[in-house]
Amino acid sequence: MTRLKPALALLPLLCSSPLWATTFVYVSNAESGTVSRYQLSEKDGGLTWQGDTPAGKKIMPLAASPDGKHLYGALRTPPYAIVSWRVTRPQGVLQKQAVTPVSASFPWITTDRQGRYLLAASYDSDIVISYRIDDKGVVTAQVTSEVKTGPHAHSVITDVSNQSLYVGNLGADRVLQYRFSADGAITPLGSGFVQGEKNSGARHSVISPDNRFLYNLAEMSGTITQFRRAADGSLTELKHWPNAVAKQYNLQHGEQRPAGYNDPTPRIWAADIQITPDGRFLFVTERTSSTVTGYRVDKPSGELTLTGSWPVEKQPRSIAIDAQGKWLIVSGEKSAVIGSYAIEPTNGTLTRVAEAPAGKGANWVTLITQ
């Protein structure tokens, strides 16, 4: 019995380690009005479909709470709302908690780093807004801050410290910069913005894990712009990289795409940007060519080196990377499947390893590890 005691003492630690963790993939299907749930195999990147949860018409952006216990989704057709779900153990089944009416259609939602507020950007209403999340993990109708932006706010993120907030302002070609307070207040930081190239369309951004750099992807030019973050959170542009696939696919400069847009000209239509948890690799999507492009990140300088571009699911709007930085998941709005891609650990190249059936209009990918 004495010999068994050390082993028995280790059991709680072993059972709580990442070795026993399960990663679930959630994909919103805008046309189906559902959220699909999959289990991701950390061993080989396989995807196992586990069911669909009714969500509502035009369910699009999703966001997970930092502790992985809650999932939120925005309905982008009237009546606009945020759906709050509890992520139940051990199967990751979504249990609806509330449907909260909101004032606008949001193409992007996220939580702050502490999970106390839901942050949302509205393309149509030109606002960024903060809603309080209650102690049960439910998004409430209480607005802690609402800020008018330039035309077409498309994304909102916080820095690692949770004290700065950045908005991709597509119609103004700007990245907006704000202070974010513990009470959920959003106030301008410095000049309030950094100006990008005309008609570039600042869309989505990511922060490097060390909090030193911000990278913004422009929708219409496909350009990636690197900014240095100062101690107060203000941004200074450092360098930018042109779209990597425009020449290969003969893509013209992109345009804003209002409702009813119909132009047969192949144009740049960049969508999403993600960085691995260790900050070594960065990936972006381009929807017209249906490609993902990867870059290696030089940690001291933050500069990017192109590693390659790969064909993926048709019209890839969203990508997500698992917590270990091993797998990249892609959804395509016009694809019948979602795809899983292995990230080569030394150079960041992608290899397609699995797929699973998707709903109609597969839109947003969010991963939760329990």
Side-chain angles (χ1 to χ4, degrees), residues 219-230:
E219 177 175 317
M220 296 180 291
S221 67
T223 301
I224 302 170
T225 303
Q226 176 198 14
F227 299 90
R228 178 188 292 115
R229 293 187 64 259

Side-chain angles (χ1 to χ4, degrees), residues 9 25 56 62 86 112 132 138 168 173 191 210 287 301 326 363:
V25 177
L62 300 175
R86 179 182 292 109
D112 75 303
R132 187 175 298 280
V138 172
D173 307 311
S191 64
D210 61 11
R287 286 174 283 185
S301 67
K326 294 172 58 179
N363 191 268

Side-chain angles (χ1 to χ4, degrees), residues 143-223:
V143 174
T144 63
S145 196
E146 181 176 327
V147 178
K148 193 70 175 176
T149 66
H152 308 325
H154 211 301
S155 64
V156 53
I157 62 172
T158 61
D159 78 311
V160 175
S161 74
N162 211 43
Q163 296 178 356
S164 302
L165 185 148
Y166 304 99
V167 175
N169 201 170
L170 190 147
D173 307 311
R174 293 174 172 177
V175 176
L176 310 183
Q177 54 187 30
Y178 299 95
R179 292 185 180 88
F180 184 63
S181 303
D183 61 0
I186 301 169
T187 54
L189 173 62
S191 64
F193 66 90
V194 285
Q195 185 67 49
E197 294 180 339
K198 186 177 180 180
N199 296 324
S200 57
R203 182 179 167 95
H204 291 181
S205 302
V206 291
I207 297 282
S208 62
D210 61 11
N211 216 27
R212 295 170 58 219
F213 304 109
L214 179 143
Y215 301 90
N216 176 262
L217 176 66
E219 177 175 317
M220 296 180 291
S221 67
T223 301

Side-chain angles (χ1 to χ4, degrees), residues 12 21 39 68 72 82 85 130 145 147 153 221 245 263 282:
Q39 185 169 330
Y72 308 105
I82 300 293
W85 290 281
S130 172
S145 196
V147 178
S221 67
V245 298
D263 178 5
L282 181 144

Side-chain angles (χ1 to χ4, degrees), residues 6 17 68-69 71 95 105 111 114 139-140 148 164 166 177 185 193 233 240 273 300-301 308 314 331 349 358 363 370:
S17 74
K69 294 181 179 180
L71 184 73
Q95 182 181 81
S105 169
T111 69
Q114 297 177 356
V139 174
T140 72
K148 193 70 175 176
S164 302
Y166 304 99
Q177 54 187 30
F193 66 90
H240 57 84
I273 180 170
S301 67
K314 190 172 183 180
S331 69
T349 57
N363 191 268
Q370 293 186 334

Side-chain angles (χ1 to χ4, degrees), residues 273-309:
I273 180 170
Q274 296 291 339
I275 193 168
T276 53
D278 61 8
R280 296 176 60 223
F281 304 112
L282 181 144
F283 300 92
V284 298
T285 73
E286 200 291 312
R287 286 174 283 185
T288 301
S289 61
S290 295
T291 55
V292 167
T293 296
Y295 298 84
R296 185 173 64 253
V297 182
D298 177 71
K299 284 203 172 181
S301 67
E303 293 190 3
L304 307 179
T305 300
L306 179 67
T307 57
S309 298

